[in-house]
Amino acid sequence: MKIAFFTETFLPKVDGIVTRLTKTVQYLVEAGDEVVVFCPEGCPDTYMGAKVIGVAAMPLPLYPELKLGLPGPAVSDALENFQPDLIHVVNPAVLGLGGIWLAKTNNIRLIASYHTHLPKYLEHYGMGMLEPLLWELLKAAHNQAVLNLCTSTAMVKELSEKGIQNTALWQRGVDTETFRPELRNDNMRQRLLGEFSDEGSLLIYVGRLSAEKQIERIKPVLEALPNARLALVGDGPYRQQLEKIFQNTATNFVGYLSGEELASAYACGDAFLFPSSTETLGLVLLEAMAAGCPVVGANRGGIPDIITDQINGCLYNPDGKNEGSESLIQATQAILGNESQRLSMRKAAREEAEKWGWRSATNQLRNYYTDVIDKKYDGQSLSN
Protein backbone atom coordinates (compact mmCIF):
# COMPACT_ATOMS: atom_id res chain seq x y z
CA MET A 1 0.00 0.00 0.00
CA LYS A 2 0.95 3.64 -0.47
CA ILE A 3 -0.06 5.74 2.55
CA ALA A 4 0.14 9.53 2.93
CA PHE A 5 -0.09 10.94 6.47
CA PHE A 6 -1.08 14.52 7.19
CA THR A 7 -0.24 15.36 10.79
CA GLU A 8 -0.15 18.59 12.79
CA THR A 9 2.72 17.26 14.92
CA PHE A 10 5.81 15.18 14.17
CA LEU A 11 9.51 15.01 14.96
CA PRO A 12 11.44 16.73 16.48
CA LYS A 13 8.48 17.27 18.84
CA VAL A 14 8.08 14.49 21.39
CA ASP A 15 4.64 13.51 22.67
CA GLY A 16 2.25 10.58 22.61
CA ILE A 17 0.98 11.33 19.12
CA VAL A 18 4.49 11.48 17.68
CA THR A 19 5.40 8.24 19.45
CA ARG A 20 2.41 6.47 17.93
CA LEU A 21 3.14 7.89 14.48
CA THR A 22 6.83 7.03 14.46
CA LYS A 23 6.15 3.47 15.59
CA THR A 24 3.36 3.15 13.03
CA VAL A 25 5.58 4.42 10.22
CA GLN A 26 8.34 2.03 11.28
CA TYR A 27 6.13 -1.05 11.15
CA LEU A 28 4.29 0.01 7.99
CA VAL A 29 7.61 0.32 6.15
CA GLU A 30 8.79 -3.02 7.58
CA ALA A 31 5.59 -4.56 6.18
CA GLY A 32 6.50 -3.29 2.71
CA ASP A 33 4.25 -0.23 2.52
CA GLU A 34 5.36 3.08 1.01
CA VAL A 35 4.82 6.04 3.33
CA VAL A 36 4.97 9.82 2.98
CA VAL A 37 4.43 12.11 5.99
CA PHE A 38 3.33 15.74 5.56
CA CYS A 39 3.97 17.71 8.76
CA PRO A 40 5.12 21.15 10.02
CA GLU A 41 8.59 22.31 8.95
CA GLY A 42 11.65 21.53 11.07
CA CYS A 43 11.23 17.79 10.61
CA PRO A 44 13.85 15.32 9.31
CA ASP A 45 13.78 14.58 5.57
CA THR A 46 13.21 10.87 6.13
CA TYR A 47 12.23 8.58 8.97
CA MET A 48 12.65 4.79 9.02
CA GLY A 49 12.44 4.61 5.23
CA ALA A 50 9.51 7.01 4.90
CA LYS A 51 9.77 10.36 3.14
CA VAL A 52 8.93 13.33 5.37
CA ILE A 53 7.86 16.63 3.79
CA GLY A 54 7.93 19.74 5.96
CA VAL A 55 5.29 22.40 5.39
CA ALA A 56 5.57 26.09 6.34
CA ALA A 57 3.91 26.53 9.73
CA MET A 58 3.08 29.04 12.41
CA PRO A 59 2.82 28.41 16.19
CA LEU A 60 -0.61 28.12 17.76
CA PRO A 61 -1.03 31.07 20.19
CA LEU A 62 -2.34 28.98 23.11
CA TYR A 63 -0.02 26.09 22.31
CA PRO A 64 3.25 27.53 20.94
CA GLU A 65 4.88 24.10 20.76
CA LEU A 66 2.19 23.08 18.28
CA LYS A 67 2.75 24.51 14.82
CA LEU A 68 -0.04 24.74 12.30
CA GLY A 69 1.11 23.80 8.81
CA LEU A 70 -0.15 25.88 5.91
CA PRO A 71 -0.50 23.62 2.84
CA GLY A 72 0.40 25.15 -0.50
CA PRO A 73 0.86 24.01 -4.12
CA ALA A 74 4.04 22.09 -3.23
CA VAL A 75 2.00 19.76 -1.04
CA SER A 76 -0.47 19.09 -3.85
CA ASP A 77 2.39 18.44 -6.29
CA ALA A 78 4.15 16.05 -3.91
CA LEU A 79 0.91 14.14 -3.33
CA GLU A 80 0.26 13.88 -7.06
CA ASN A 81 3.76 12.50 -7.60
CA PHE A 82 3.30 9.94 -4.80
CA GLN A 83 -0.16 8.73 -5.94
CA PRO A 84 -1.25 7.27 -2.57
CA ASP A 85 -3.87 4.58 -2.15
CA LEU A 86 -5.06 6.24 1.03
CA ILE A 87 -4.67 9.47 3.03
CA HIS A 88 -4.61 9.28 6.82
CA VAL A 89 -5.21 12.63 8.54
CA VAL A 90 -4.08 12.78 12.17
CA ASN A 91 -5.90 15.30 14.42
CA PRO A 92 -7.13 17.45 11.51
CA ALA A 93 -6.57 21.19 11.96
CA VAL A 94 -5.06 23.43 9.28
CA LEU A 95 -2.69 21.00 7.55
CA GLY A 96 -5.17 18.19 8.16
CA LEU A 97 -7.95 20.13 6.46
CA GLY A 98 -5.62 20.45 3.48
CA GLY A 99 -5.24 16.67 3.50
CA ILE A 100 -9.02 16.23 3.63
CA TRP A 101 -9.51 18.61 0.70
CA LEU A 102 -6.82 16.87 -1.36
CA ALA A 103 -8.36 13.47 -0.65
CA LYS A 104 -11.77 14.68 -1.79
CA THR A 105 -10.60 16.51 -4.90
CA ASN A 106 -8.37 13.62 -6.00
CA ASN A 107 -10.85 10.86 -5.11
CA ILE A 108 -8.44 9.26 -2.63
CA ARG A 109 -9.81 7.12 0.21
CA LEU A 110 -9.62 9.02 3.53
CA ILE A 111 -9.15 7.95 7.15
CA ALA A 112 -8.94 10.36 10.09
CA SER A 113 -7.84 9.71 13.68
CA TYR A 114 -8.61 11.55 16.92
CA HIS A 115 -5.84 11.85 19.52
CA THR A 116 -6.13 15.15 21.43
CA HIS A 117 -9.31 15.99 23.31
CA LEU A 118 -9.20 19.66 22.32
CA PRO A 119 -12.80 20.52 23.31
CA LYS A 120 -11.99 19.61 26.91
CA TYR A 121 -8.76 21.63 26.80
CA LEU A 122 -10.68 24.86 26.19
CA GLU A 123 -11.96 25.18 29.74
CA HIS A 124 -8.39 25.14 31.04
CA TYR A 125 -7.62 28.18 28.89
CA GLY A 126 -10.72 30.14 29.86
CA MET A 127 -12.60 29.43 26.62
CA GLY A 128 -15.07 26.75 27.64
CA MET A 129 -17.90 28.61 25.92
CA LEU A 130 -16.36 27.68 22.56
CA GLU A 131 -16.61 23.94 23.16
CA PRO A 132 -19.90 23.43 21.24
CA LEU A 133 -18.51 25.33 18.25
CA LEU A 134 -15.31 23.27 18.25
CA TRP A 135 -17.33 20.05 18.28
CA GLU A 136 -19.25 21.25 15.22
CA LEU A 137 -15.99 22.01 13.41
CA LEU A 138 -14.53 18.64 14.37
CA LYS A 139 -17.70 16.89 13.22
CA ALA A 140 -17.59 18.65 9.85
CA ALA A 141 -13.95 17.63 9.33
CA HIS A 142 -14.12 14.04 10.59
CA ASN A 143 -17.31 13.19 8.76
CA GLN A 144 -15.48 13.64 5.47
CA ALA A 145 -13.55 10.45 6.29
CA VAL A 146 -14.60 6.92 5.46
CA LEU A 147 -13.40 5.84 8.91
CA ASN A 148 -12.55 7.71 12.13
CA LEU A 149 -10.15 5.98 14.49
CA CYS A 150 -9.98 6.64 18.22
CA THR A 151 -7.41 5.34 20.71
CA SER A 152 -9.82 4.32 23.49
CA THR A 153 -13.32 2.89 23.80
CA ALA A 154 -14.43 6.01 25.71
CA MET A 155 -13.47 8.24 22.78
CA VAL A 156 -15.20 5.94 20.28
CA LYS A 157 -18.36 6.34 22.35
CA GLU A 158 -18.04 10.09 22.91
CA LEU A 159 -17.30 10.94 19.27
CA SER A 160 -20.23 8.81 18.15
CA GLU A 161 -22.50 10.62 20.61
CA LYS A 162 -21.26 13.98 19.25
CA GLY A 163 -22.32 13.00 15.74
CA ILE A 164 -18.97 11.86 14.31
CA GLN A 165 -19.71 8.88 12.10
CA ASN A 166 -17.97 5.59 11.33
CA THR A 167 -15.82 5.39 14.47
CA ALA A 168 -13.61 2.45 15.41
CA LEU A 169 -10.89 1.63 17.92
CA TRP A 170 -7.18 1.84 17.04
CA GLN A 171 -5.67 -0.29 19.74
CA ARG A 172 -3.02 1.02 22.12
CA GLY A 173 0.65 0.18 21.90
CA VAL A 174 3.84 0.56 23.94
CA ASP A 175 7.52 -0.24 23.48
CA THR A 176 8.12 -2.97 26.07
CA GLU A 177 11.75 -3.40 24.98
CA THR A 178 12.70 0.20 25.79
CA PHE A 179 10.54 0.54 28.90
CA ARG A 180 11.30 -2.25 31.37
CA PRO A 181 11.67 -2.73 35.15
CA GLU A 182 15.32 -3.75 34.95
CA LEU A 183 16.37 -0.12 34.35
CA ARG A 184 15.61 0.84 37.97
CA ASN A 185 18.86 2.10 39.52
CA ASP A 186 20.12 4.25 42.39
CA ASN A 187 21.81 6.88 40.22
CA MET A 188 18.64 7.79 38.32
CA ARG A 189 16.56 7.67 41.48
CA GLN A 190 18.88 10.19 43.11
CA ARG A 191 18.72 12.37 40.00
CA LEU A 192 14.94 12.38 40.25
CA LEU A 193 15.08 13.20 43.95
CA GLY A 194 17.46 16.12 43.38
CA GLU A 195 18.26 17.81 46.67
CA PHE A 196 15.76 15.72 48.62
CA SER A 197 16.71 12.65 50.65
CA ASP A 198 15.49 9.18 49.75
CA GLU A 199 13.62 8.64 53.01
CA GLY A 200 10.11 8.18 51.65
CA SER A 201 8.27 7.36 48.47
CA LEU A 202 9.16 8.77 45.05
CA LEU A 203 6.18 9.94 43.01
CA ILE A 204 6.79 10.75 39.35
CA TYR A 205 4.95 12.54 36.58
CA VAL A 206 6.09 12.44 32.95
CA GLY A 207 4.63 14.68 30.28
CA ARG A 208 3.96 18.18 29.12
CA LEU A 209 3.79 20.84 31.82
CA SER A 210 0.60 22.54 30.67
CA ALA A 211 -2.65 23.71 32.23
CA GLU A 212 -4.86 20.92 30.89
CA LYS A 213 -2.68 18.25 32.54
CA GLN A 214 -3.93 19.45 35.98
CA ILE A 215 -0.57 18.74 37.62
CA GLU A 216 -1.35 21.09 40.52
CA ARG A 217 -3.72 18.39 41.79
CA ILE A 218 -0.66 16.49 43.05
CA LYS A 219 0.19 19.16 45.63
CA PRO A 220 -2.44 18.00 48.18
CA VAL A 221 -0.94 14.49 47.89
CA LEU A 222 2.46 15.84 48.98
CA GLU A 223 0.82 17.70 51.83
CA ALA A 224 -1.01 14.55 52.97
CA LEU A 225 2.07 12.34 52.64
CA PRO A 226 4.95 14.33 54.18
CA ASN A 227 7.53 11.64 53.37
CA ALA A 228 6.67 11.64 49.67
CA ARG A 229 8.85 13.31 47.03
CA LEU A 230 7.75 14.34 43.54
CA ALA A 231 9.76 14.37 40.31
CA LEU A 232 8.20 16.24 37.37
CA VAL A 233 9.79 15.01 34.14
CA GLY A 234 9.08 17.22 31.13
CA ASP A 235 8.63 20.88 30.34
CA GLY A 236 6.07 23.25 28.92
CA PRO A 237 4.36 26.64 29.14
CA TYR A 238 2.95 26.04 32.63
CA ARG A 239 6.30 25.37 34.28
CA GLN A 240 6.73 28.79 35.90
CA GLN A 241 3.25 28.65 37.41
CA LEU A 242 3.91 25.13 38.67
CA GLU A 243 7.20 26.20 40.25
CA LYS A 244 5.23 28.75 42.27
CA ILE A 245 2.49 26.28 43.14
CA PHE A 246 4.95 23.63 44.34
CA GLN A 247 7.24 26.06 46.12
CA ASN A 248 8.27 24.76 49.56
CA THR A 249 7.30 21.20 48.70
CA ALA A 250 9.59 18.24 48.01
CA THR A 251 9.30 18.67 44.24
CA ASN A 252 12.11 18.41 41.70
CA PHE A 253 11.65 19.80 38.17
CA VAL A 254 13.79 17.40 36.16
CA GLY A 255 13.15 18.70 32.61
CA TYR A 256 12.99 16.55 29.50
CA LEU A 257 14.41 13.02 29.48
CA SER A 258 14.41 10.62 26.54
CA GLY A 259 15.51 7.15 25.53
CA GLU A 260 16.98 4.93 28.20
CA GLU A 261 17.14 7.81 30.70
CA LEU A 262 13.37 8.26 30.44
CA ALA A 263 12.80 4.52 30.70
CA SER A 264 14.99 4.41 33.80
CA ALA A 265 13.07 7.32 35.35
CA TYR A 266 9.80 5.43 34.99
CA ALA A 267 11.33 2.32 36.56
CA CYS A 268 12.63 4.28 39.57
CA GLY A 269 9.25 5.61 40.66
CA ASP A 270 7.26 4.09 43.49
CA ALA A 271 4.07 5.42 41.91
CA PHE A 272 3.29 7.31 38.71
CA LEU A 273 0.69 10.05 39.14
CA PHE A 274 -1.22 11.28 36.10
CA PRO A 275 -4.03 13.59 37.27
CA SER A 276 -5.26 14.74 33.83
CA SER A 277 -8.95 14.10 33.12
CA THR A 278 -8.73 15.14 29.43
CA GLU A 279 -6.81 12.17 27.99
CA THR A 280 -7.94 10.22 24.94
CA LEU A 281 -5.52 7.43 25.94
CA GLY A 282 -2.55 8.41 28.14
CA LEU A 283 0.44 6.71 26.50
CA VAL A 284 2.74 7.68 29.37
CA LEU A 285 0.67 5.46 31.65
CA LEU A 286 1.45 2.45 29.46
CA GLU A 287 5.13 3.39 29.40
CA ALA A 288 5.19 3.61 33.20
CA MET A 289 3.44 0.26 33.48
CA ALA A 290 5.89 -1.33 31.05
CA ALA A 291 8.65 -0.12 33.39
CA GLY A 292 6.88 -1.82 36.30
CA CYS A 293 5.66 1.36 37.98
CA PRO A 294 2.14 1.28 39.47
CA VAL A 295 0.03 4.13 38.14
CA VAL A 296 -2.71 6.45 39.38
CA GLY A 297 -4.96 7.97 36.74
CA ALA A 298 -8.36 9.63 36.40
CA ASN A 299 -11.46 7.52 35.92
CA ARG A 300 -12.18 9.49 32.74
CA GLY A 301 -11.56 9.32 28.99
CA GLY A 302 -9.31 6.54 27.78
CA ILE A 303 -7.55 5.88 31.08
CA PRO A 304 -9.94 3.18 32.39
CA ASP A 305 -9.05 1.18 29.27
CA ILE A 306 -5.52 0.92 30.68
CA ILE A 307 -5.87 0.80 34.46
CA THR A 308 -7.68 -2.03 36.22
CA ASP A 309 -8.38 -0.46 39.60
CA GLN A 310 -6.45 -2.01 42.53
CA ILE A 311 -4.83 -4.56 40.20
CA ASN A 312 -2.22 -2.82 38.01
CA GLY A 313 -2.81 0.66 39.42
CA CYS A 314 -5.53 2.83 40.90
CA LEU A 315 -8.22 5.07 39.45
CA TYR A 316 -9.30 8.29 41.13
CA ASN A 317 -12.43 10.39 40.75
CA PRO A 318 -11.35 13.79 39.36
CA ASP A 319 -14.71 15.40 40.15
CA GLY A 320 -14.88 14.42 43.79
CA LYS A 321 -14.42 16.47 46.95
CA ASN A 322 -12.03 19.41 46.56
CA GLU A 323 -11.71 18.77 42.80
CA GLY A 324 -10.73 15.16 43.33
CA SER A 325 -7.85 15.77 45.73
CA GLU A 326 -9.21 13.42 48.41
CA SER A 327 -9.73 10.66 45.86
CA LEU A 328 -6.23 11.19 44.42
CA ILE A 329 -4.71 11.02 47.89
CA GLN A 330 -6.56 7.80 48.68
CA ALA A 331 -5.53 6.20 45.36
CA THR A 332 -1.88 7.09 45.98
CA GLN A 333 -2.02 5.75 49.53
CA ALA A 334 -3.50 2.51 48.23
CA ILE A 335 -0.33 1.94 46.21
CA LEU A 336 2.21 3.20 48.74
CA GLY A 337 0.62 1.93 51.95
CA ASN A 338 1.11 -1.80 51.44
CA GLU A 339 4.48 -3.07 50.21
CA SER A 340 3.25 -6.50 49.12
CA GLN A 341 0.32 -4.96 47.23
CA ARG A 342 2.64 -2.46 45.53
CA LEU A 343 4.94 -5.27 44.39
CA SER A 344 1.91 -7.16 43.07
CA MET A 345 0.80 -4.04 41.17
CA ARG A 346 4.30 -3.60 39.68
CA LYS A 347 4.14 -7.14 38.30
CA ALA A 348 0.57 -6.74 37.03
CA ALA A 349 1.41 -3.39 35.41
CA ARG A 350 4.22 -4.96 33.41
CA GLU A 351 2.03 -7.91 32.40
CA GLU A 352 -0.67 -5.55 31.12
CA ALA A 353 1.84 -3.56 29.05
CA GLU A 354 3.23 -6.73 27.48
CA LYS A 355 -0.16 -7.33 25.84
CA TRP A 356 0.12 -4.20 23.69
CA GLY A 357 3.01 -4.15 21.23
CA TRP A 358 3.27 -1.60 18.43
CA ARG A 359 3.54 -4.32 15.79
CA SER A 360 0.14 -5.68 16.75
CA ALA A 361 -1.40 -2.18 16.78
CA THR A 362 0.01 -1.49 13.31
CA ASN A 363 -1.22 -4.83 11.95
CA GLN A 364 -4.71 -3.87 13.13
CA LEU A 365 -4.33 -0.49 11.39
CA ARG A 366 -3.19 -2.15 8.15
CA ASN A 367 -6.35 -4.28 8.23
CA TYR A 368 -8.42 -1.11 8.46
CA TYR A 369 -6.44 0.38 5.57
CA THR A 370 -6.98 -2.71 3.42
CA ASP A 371 -10.72 -2.76 4.06
CA VAL A 372 -11.05 0.94 3.27
CA ILE A 373 -8.96 0.73 0.08
CA ASP A 374 -10.85 -2.36 -1.09
CA LYS A 375 -14.12 -0.56 -0.28
CA LYS A 376 -15.19 -3.41 2.01
CA TYR A 377 -16.14 -0.86 4.60
CA ASP A 378 -19.86 -0.13 4.30
CA GLY A 379 -20.15 2.72 6.79
CA GLN A 380 -20.87 0.47 9.76
CA SER A 381 -18.43 -0.03 12.64
CA LEU A 382 -15.58 -2.33 11.77
CA SER A 383 -14.69 -5.07 14.22
CA ASN A 384 -12.12 -3.91 16.76
Side-chain angles (χ1 to χ4, degrees):
M1 291 180 285
K2 299 176 74 172
I3 311 300
F5 284 96
F6 284 75
T7 175
E8 312 293 341
T9 178
F10 198 65
L11 296 171
K13 192 176 187 299
V14 178
D15 62 17
I17 300 172
V18 175
T19 298
R20 179 177 282 267
L21 276 175
T22 53
K23 294 298 183 182
T24 298
V25 167
Q26 175 185 341
Y27 287 112
L28 286 175
V29 172
E30 284 187 11
D33 299 319
E34 294 182 56
V35 178
V36 167
V37 179
F38 295 93
C39 63
E41 60 191 352
C43 56
D45 294 332
T46 61
Y47 181 78
M48 291 289 182
K51 186 175 183 180
V52 183
I53 299 176
V55 179
M58 61 180 182
L60 186 66
L62 290 178
Y63 236 96
E65 292 182 20
L66 179 62
K67 296 180 179 180
L68 297 180
L70 305 172
V75 172
S76 179
D77 292 343
L79 192 71
E80 185 175 351
N81 289 335
F82 182 56
Q83 291 290 306
D85 300 306
L86 180 143
I87 288 176
H88 182 160
V89 174
V90 178
N91 264 3
V94 178
L95 181 56
L97 292 179
I100 291 171
W101 183 81
L102 287 167
K104 292 298 180 180
T105 55
N106 291 282
N107 197 29
I108 301 170
R109 302 291 278 173
L110 175 66
I111 283 181
S113 52
Y114 186 88
H115 303 261
T116 303
H117 210 10
L118 287 176
K120 293 301 181 185
Y121 281 20
L122 290 176
E123 62 187 76
H124 298 287
Y125 291 94
M127 296 190 297
M129 75 290 294
L130 296 177
E131 183 177 337
L133 174 61
L134 183 52
W135 274 119
E136 289 302 314
L137 294 174
L138 288 170
K139 184 167 68 173
H142 278 274
N143 282 344
Q144 302 301 311
V146 176
L147 179 65
N148 286 292
L149 299 177
C150 308
T151 55
S152 68
T153 55
M155 289 300 102
V156 170
K157 182 175 184 292
E158 183 166 355
L159 265 63
S160 296
E161 290 173 347
K162 294 295 185 181
I164 294 176
Q165 302 167 0
N166 306 330
T167 56
L169 179 67
W170 183 2
Q171 75 183 45
R172 53 194 176 271
V174 66
D175 185 348
T176 54
E177 295 179 5
T178 297
F179 301 102
R180 58 192 192 276
E182 294 79 14
L183 293 178
R184 186 180 179 94
N185 66 81
D186 292 339
N187 288 338
M188 177 53 74
R189 187 175 175 93
Q190 191 55 55
R191 181 174 173 185
L192 295 174
L193 288 163
E195 64 184 45
F196 304 105
S197 61
D198 193 2
E199 295 177 351
S201 301
L202 175 58
L203 310 177
I204 61 171
Y205 165 89
V206 175
R208 178 178 165 84
L209 304 187
S210 54
E212 73 277 0
K213 298 299 183 183
Q214 300 164 291
I215 300 164
E216 65 278 0
R217 290 188 172 186
I218 301 176
K219 185 180 179 181
V221 177
L222 295 178
E223 294 170 342
L225 305 173
N227 289 327
R229 286 83 171 93
L230 173 65
L232 297 178
V233 178
D235 213 332
Y238 204 49
R239 175 165 178 163
Q240 288 187 341
Q241 291 95 319
L242 289 172
E243 287 174 344
K244 293 177 182 177
I245 291 170
F246 285 93
Q247 192 173 8
N248 299 321
T249 67
T251 301
N252 183 27
F253 287 79
V254 181
Y256 281 117
L257 295 176
S258 60
E260 190 164 300
E261 285 189 330
L262 175 59
S264 179
Y266 280 121
C268 289
D270 297 313
F272 181 90
L273 269 58
F274 197 60
S276 171
S277 58
T278 63
E279 300 302 310
T280 58
L281 176 63
L283 177 61
V284 289
L285 288 170
L286 271 176
E287 292 175 346
M289 292 167 71
C293 185
V295 297
V296 177
N299 192 15
R300 292 291 183 276
I303 291 175
D305 277 9
I306 299 174
I307 299 176
T308 303
D309 193 34
Q310 303 293 325
I311 302 298
N312 55 28
C314 291
L315 294 168
Y316 89 97
N317 177 13
D319 301 323
K321 184 180 178 182
N322 298 325
E323 294 186 330
S325 60
E326 289 297 325
S327 181
L328 184 57
I329 291 168
Q330 291 170 8
T332 306
Q333 288 174 324
I335 291 177
L336 301 179
N338 185 312
E339 180 66 16
S340 63
Q341 183 176 3
R342 184 162 60 85
L343 291 175
S344 175
M345 283 188 181
R346 291 181 71 90
K347 183 173 182 291
R350 174 65 188 185
E351 289 173 350
E352 176 65 22
E354 287 176 343
K355 299 175 184 177
W356 305 106
W358 285 117
R359 187 182 300 278
S360 175
T362 307
N363 286 340
Q364 182 213 29
L365 180 66
R366 293 188 80 244
N367 288 336
Y368 284 142
Y369 285 171
T370 300
D371 284 344
V372 167
I373 291 170
D374 292 346
K375 300 184 180 181
K376 294 178 181 177
Y377 184 49
D378 61 1
Q380 304 300 315
S381 293
L382 288 168
S383 61
N384 296 331

